[in-house]
Amino acid sequence: MNSIILDPAVESRLASVANLIGDTPLLDLACKVNGISVRVLAKHEMANFTGSVKDRMALHIIRRAYADGRLKPGDTIAEATSGNTGISFAAIGRVLGHPVRIFMPDWMSRERALLVRSFGAEIIPVSKEEGGFLGSIEMADAFAAAAPNVFRPQQFSCPSNPAAHETSTGPELEAQLRKLNVVPQAFVAGVGTGGTVMGIGAHLRKAYSGITIHPLEPANSPTLTTGHKVGTHRIQGISDEFIPEIVKLDQLDSIVQVWDGDSILMAQRLASELGLAVGISSGANMLGALQLGEKLGEGAVVCTVFSDSNKKYLSTDLCSAEAVRDDYMTPHVELEGLAVHASAGI
Ligand code: PMP
């Protein structure tokens, strides 16, 4: 990857920050769901530079944009994001000396906005009345059209987003699985931009002929199934208000649905029983993996990602008592053991 960068100063800073991104450990969870043994293997993405899976995408988009001449030293990076992407661009932008402007829906957790600001980036809050997620994309586009030297990463449509996962997360996961002599039967990931599920999915399909690749959405707000915004949910980072351009449902297997309350309960249990302080979307991905595993049957092996930590959700329902409902899966799950496998160092 290093050879595509021309400017030596930029190259050296990118190479430095790249040492803090990717090569994440693999969490190996022995579980039972309704008495059926399921092995869930999850990439531990909070181990990245700013604590989320989105660092991979931000780094790759910036690298490619420098290589293509679309981004130059001193340019402003302007992006529309519900949170983790803003934190990643703000931090990596700071490493490279770029001003960063983040357009963010104003109902996202307070921690996210404070983190973006802590990296010296500017936040433009966008209210529901101003158009929410779609409004923030339009506002970022309008800013870029009106001001000179603005770079728009366009995470919802940029091919470098899934490519980041196809060239890093996917091969890392495969190398870790091969070391363990494990063949995965399915992969599932909640869809924000879709970069994770499309990119890792593309790599795993090449590596394992029988594998199925599943996008996940909140059952409370099934945008992928319906094609538009419907309902509300509390799994920050996934299911915005539209199906992103990156997502090609015809290249994916069935859509998995989980309830947001169930995801909160599972994320709470991962922390309190195994010491894995993950965010709500990780709880959702864990449930998605268990749902698929239960269908596949005894001894199933399902892979996923734990996208970030609980630190950005301390002021949210993740840290309050969540009511259990009859149709939730979490009460039927036993978390029997955790092993952690180091990065395969590829
Ligand atoms: N979980 C969290 C916490 C996220 O921030 C994101 C990114 N929006 C996702 C999951 C989904 O990742 P992707 O954008 O690659 O679909």
Side-chain angles (χ1 to χ4, degrees):
M1 273 165 109
N2 288 1
S3 58
I4 59 174
I5 304 297
L6 300 174
D7 183 323
V10 172
E11 175 57 52
S12 128
R13 287 185 187 186
L14 272 174
S16 281
V17 75
N19 286 331
L20 292 166
I21 298 175
D23 276 338
T24 53
L26 186 66
L27 306 172
D28 191 343
L29 297 123
C31 315
K32 276 217 170 84
V33 49
N34 291 314
I36 294 171
S37 298
V38 177
R39 186 172 181 183
V40 177
L41 294 146
K43 288 291 278 174
H44 187 53
E45 294 302 302
M46 73 168 78
N48 287 302
F49 183 41
T50 72
S52 91
V53 69
K54 301 305 285 196
D55 287 343
R56 295 177 183 267
M57 174 237 32
L59 176 68
H60 198 66
I61 289 184
I62 286 177
R63 263 184 191 283
R64 286 269 24 132
Y66 263 109
D68 299 345
R70 287 175 293 124
L71 175 62
K72 292 174 289 309
D75 285 357
T76 298
I77 298 175
E79 185 59 315
T81 159
S82 61
N84 275 324
T85 295
I87 295 166
S88 296
F89 276 114
I92 300 172
R94 177 56 49 228
V95 170
L96 296 167
H98 292 281
V100 177
R101 185 179 269 238
I102 299 298
F103 297 79
M104 191 194 287
D106 65 2
W107 62 89
M108 290 293 121
S109 81
R110 195 171 121 74
E111 292 89 333
R112 291 185 178 218
L114 290 176
L115 282 166
V116 169
R117 279 204 192 99
S118 75
F119 293 115
E122 198 182 338
I123 293 205
I124 317 297
V126 183
S127 66
K128 286 208 166 76
E129 295 70 39
E130 286 170 310
F133 284 101
L134 288 170
S136 33
I137 295 174
E138 281 162 20
M139 284 167 77
D141 284 339
F143 170 70
N149 306 324
V150 175
F151 171 64
R152 288 275 293 113
Q154 292 178 309
Q155 58 159 345
F156 289 101
S157 55
C158 177
S160 299
N161 174 359
H165 296 288
E166 191 170 354
T167 56
S168 75
T169 335
E172 284 173 31
L173 177 56
E174 185 199 347
Q176 286 166 314
L177 294 171
R178 296 227 183 261
K179 264 197 171 172
L180 294 173
N181 265 327
V182 172
V183 176
Q185 292 162 281
F187 174 80
V188 61
V191 170
T193 61
T196 306
V197 76
M198 295 304 297
I200 298 180
H203 180 81
L204 293 181
R205 267 196 213 289
K206 281 184 259 156
Y208 304 101
S209 55
I211 196 167
T212 55
I213 308 293
H214 303 263
L216 176 145
E217 67 183 359
N220 327 51
S221 178
T223 303
L224 295 176
T225 303
T226 59
H228 52 83
K229 178 183 156 49
V230 43
T232 58
H233 72 95
R234 296 171 288 167
I235 313 176
Q236 289 188 32
I238 71 166
S239 194
D240 296 335
E241 296 176 353
F242 54 95
I243 302 182
E245 208 175 305
I246 286 169
V247 177
K248 308 278 183 245
L249 287 175
D250 58 355
Q251 294 170 20
L252 296 169
D253 295 286
S254 61
I255 299 167
V256 172
Q257 292 187 349
V258 298
W259 296 103
D260 62 358
D262 209 2
S263 305
I264 287 172
L265 289 167
M266 177 50 77
Q268 290 173 342
R269 282 190 60 191
L270 287 167
S272 64
E273 292 179 34
L274 298 177
L276 293 174
V278 294
I280 304 172
S281 78
S282 304
N285 283 350
M286 177 74 178
L287 285 175
L290 291 168
Q291 213 185 96
L292 290 166
E294 188 184 14
K295 277 196 203 126
L296 286 163
E298 181 65 23
V301 177
V302 184
C303 294
T304 188
V305 294
F306 287 173
S307 311
D308 68 357
S309 80
N310 64 358
K311 306 296 180 293
K312 285 177 281 323
Y313 312 100
L314 299 176
S315 67
T316 75
D317 288 354
L318 182 57
C319 294
S320 304
E322 180 69 23
V324 177
R325 272 181 18 190
D326 285 349
D327 53 351
Y328 285 179
M329 176 183 258
T330 302
H332 307 284
V333 174
E334 290 160 62
L335 300 172
E336 297 190 314
L338 166 70
V340 182
H341 308 293
S343 128
I346 56 162

